[in-house]
C-alpha cells in the first residue's frame, strides 16, 4: 500500500477541522472569540466581552479536557482586551 505524504496544506486542513470540532462543542462561547494556537502548546482565546469570559470560566474544566483531547495543547490562556485573565493546564495528572 502506497501512502501519500502529508503536506502543509493537509496539516492546516486537519487543524481547521479540529478547531471546528472544538467550536461545535462550546457553541455558546467560543464562536464569538478569536482563537490562536501558539506552537501547538497554547490555546489563546481572545474574548470580545466579559460575558463570554464568564461563560468560558464556567466551562473551564470541560474546555481544558476537550482542548487537550482534540487539539493536543498543553495549556489555555483566556484574554479580555489585552489582559490575560486566566492560564490553565489542559490535562490533569
Amino acid at each position: 500500500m502506497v501512502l501519500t505524504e502529508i503536506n502543509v496544506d493537509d496539516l492546516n486542513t486537519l487543524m481547521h477541522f479540529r478547531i471546528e470540532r472544538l467550536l461545535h462543542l462550546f457553541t455558546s462561547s467560543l464562536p464569538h472569540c478569536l482563537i490562536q494556537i501558539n506552537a501547538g502548546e497554547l490555546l489563546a482565546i481572545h474574548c470580545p466581552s466579559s460575558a463570554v469570559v464568564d461563560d468560558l470560566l464556567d466551562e473551564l474544566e470541560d474546555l481544558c479536557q476537550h482542548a487537550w483531547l482534540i487539539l493536543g495543547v498543553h495549556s489555555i490562556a483566556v484574554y479580555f482586551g489585552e489582559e490575560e485573565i486566566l492560564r490553565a493546564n489542559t490535562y490533569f495528572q
Side-chain angles (χ1 to χ4, degrees), residues 10 13 23 38 44 48 54-55 74 82 84 92:
D10 295 332
T13 301
L23 290 174
N38 301 332
D54 291 340
D55 289 344
H74 295 259
E82 295 295 319
E84 183 176 304
F92 304 96

Side-chain angles (χ1 to χ4, degrees), residues 56-93:
L56 285 175
L57 295 179
D58 289 341
E59 303 172 323
L60 185 62
E61 187 174 342
D62 288 338
L63 179 60
C64 286
Q65 290 175 351
H66 285 94
W68 182 60
L69 289 171
I70 295 169
L71 301 175
V73 294
H74 295 259
S75 58
I76 294 175
V78 177
Y79 295 89
F80 179 60
E82 295 295 319
E83 184 178 346
E84 183 176 304
I85 304 299
L86 170 86
R87 186 173 292 237
N89 290 331
T90 56
Y91 56 95
F92 304 96
Q93 297 175 335

Side-chain angles (χ1 to χ4, degrees):
M1 176 196 274
V2 176
L3 299 175
T4 59
E5 292 184 28
I6 294 178
N7 60 35
V8 174
D9 290 335
D10 295 332
L11 293 174
N12 288 335
T13 301
L14 289 171
M15 182 56 75
H16 174 75
F17 286 142
R18 287 192 259 165
I19 292 170
E20 285 294 318
R21 176 68 180 137
L22 190 67
L23 290 174
H24 287 297
L25 292 173
F26 297 91
T27 57
S28 66
S29 54
L30 283 184
H32 307 288
C33 301
L34 172 66
I35 296 176
Q36 298 174 314
I37 299 175
N38 301 332
E41 304 259 337
L42 172 69
L43 173 64
I45 303 171
H46 300 271
C47 301
S49 70
S50 60
V52 174
V53 172
D54 291 340
D55 289 344
L56 285 175
L57 295 179
D58 289 341
E59 303 172 323
L60 185 62
E61 187 174 342
D62 288 338
L63 179 60
C64 286
Q65 290 175 351
H66 285 94
W68 182 60
L69 289 171
I70 295 169
L71 301 175
V73 294
H74 295 259
S75 58
I76 294 175
V78 177
Y79 295 89
F80 179 60
E82 295 295 319
E83 184 178 346
E84 183 176 304
I85 304 299
L86 170 86
R87 186 173 292 237
N89 290 331
T90 56
Y91 56 95
F92 304 96
Q93 297 175 335

